[in-house]
Amino acid sequence: MRVDAIKDKVAIIGMGCTKFGENWNMSVEDMLIDAVYEAYADAGVETKDIEAAWLGSVGSAFTGETLGRPLKLKYKPITRIENACGTGMDTLRNACFGVACGLYDIVLVAGVEKLKDSGYAGLPEFFFHPVYGQGFTAPGRWAMIATRYFQTHGIKPEEGKRALAKIAVKNHHNGTFSPKAHFQREITLEQALNAPTIAWPLGLFDCCPTTDGAAAAIICSADIAKSFKDDYVLVKGFGVAMGPCLGKEDIDYKYDHLPETEAAARQAYEAVGIKNPRKEISVAQVHDCFTIAELTEYDALGFCERGRAVQEVEAGTFTLEGELPANTDGGLKAFGHPLGATGLRMCNELYLQLRGKAGPRQVKNPSLGLAMAQGGHPGMLLPVITILGCRD
């Protein structure tokens, strides 16, 4: 891998995001138009300036026409990307390749998902193999890694469940500072601990909601970014790692850590030159589809030693006031998870934080931000990591 292929070659000059929630009164096209025109206004560009576009959606789009028709992107190259829950972030990654190689100067990136009208009651089944795909649900797999993680690292079940509840409380609290979040209401530790069980130890507040939403970005060559705005954000690097997808059948897959996420993090850190992520990353958006996902991602991303995430949660390391704030906008717990939009929504939060425009949830003097969207579930993970940074 050429570690210098992306770093500081692509800039984000505008971003937009719809209100995430139960958008019964909006179509997929309505949400795309709102998100894209907000990004246009932020960047100071118009449709005529867009040379190419990428659209991310798992099940709410059909080819690039879903984006091209409502936006009137006539005869422009439009590529649709699908990569499970990592779709939105992988859409940004693929668009950055188009700019970094010099083919385009200004492109549009958009992600959208409309789940509330789809009939989904939760994350859909992604593994269609007639044998390997049998016998699991997303909450079930994440519950499995929770109990195994607790056992391997000597964590009493009640201690582990309390740490998960504290993550839910933190993210709901941060969501109260995010006007576009699906949920903007505090919950108490007692509510989280005593919520109905979904798949033990995961209760209702350990799971993200089903949500509609769209997000968009305008990216350009870093060489011309200053002509649009002074406080643009630079793309530093990416990491992606598709696991072998046979964790349930592989005796060596231990279900007590996330090897795919660790591999993606190594790629991203090598691309950026990060040696100590705990010290060098200022703010992080991680994939809290379930609170146990966020807990184990702290380990996998090198934010703490493997097995010490519970102690770090108890110490407040990842709160807004902590050493390494995580999910500062409330994460998936507050915003929900419209799959094609989630990764771009995460990058939008980094874009705001790195420019000092995150309002009451702003962290102090951030320089590097990490966002991680994670497709699949333990045993068949697909993490996509993006690292963004301030301009020099």
Side-chain angles (χ1 to χ4, degrees), residues 34-57:
D34 280 8
V36 170
Y37 272 81
E38 186 175 308
Y40 281 174
D42 185 31
V45 304
E46 302 176 28
T47 298
K48 66 179 177 56
D49 300 313
I50 301 300
E51 298 173 73
W54 275 258
L55 170 66
S57 180

Side-chain angles (χ1 to χ4, degrees), residues 264-349:
R266 285 193 295 271
Q267 291 177 26
Y269 296 156
E270 182 183 4
V272 183
I274 291 173
K275 304 297 183 187
N276 185 342
R278 170 70 174 257
K279 298 298 182 185
E280 295 177 62
I281 299 292
S282 310
V283 56
Q285 312 305 317
V286 299
H287 197 87
D288 58 323
C289 52
F290 302 97
T291 50
I292 183 61
E294 179 165 334
L295 187 83
T296 49
E297 287 158 10
Y298 293 153
D299 285 12
L301 293 168
F303 295 166
C304 62
E305 294 179 17
R306 184 183 293 178
R308 287 196 52 83
V310 167
Q311 290 94 323
E312 298 288 355
V313 169
E314 291 291 342
T317 301
F318 305 109
T319 65
L320 281 177
E321 301 76 21
E323 182 183 340
L324 177 44
N327 286 335
T328 47
D329 64 357
L332 279 68
K333 277 293 298 146
F335 269 84
H337 186 20
L339 294 81
T342 289
L344 283 169
R345 189 272 303 161
M346 292 174 157
C347 291
N348 183 51
E349 174 65 4

Side-chain angles (χ1 to χ4, degrees), residues 350-369:
L350 293 185
Y351 174 75
L352 295 173
Q353 289 283 350
L354 292 168
R355 297 163 61 238
K357 296 184 181 299
R361 60 183 191 275
Q362 179 66 49
V363 304
K364 291 182 180 178
N365 303 317
S367 57
L368 277 181

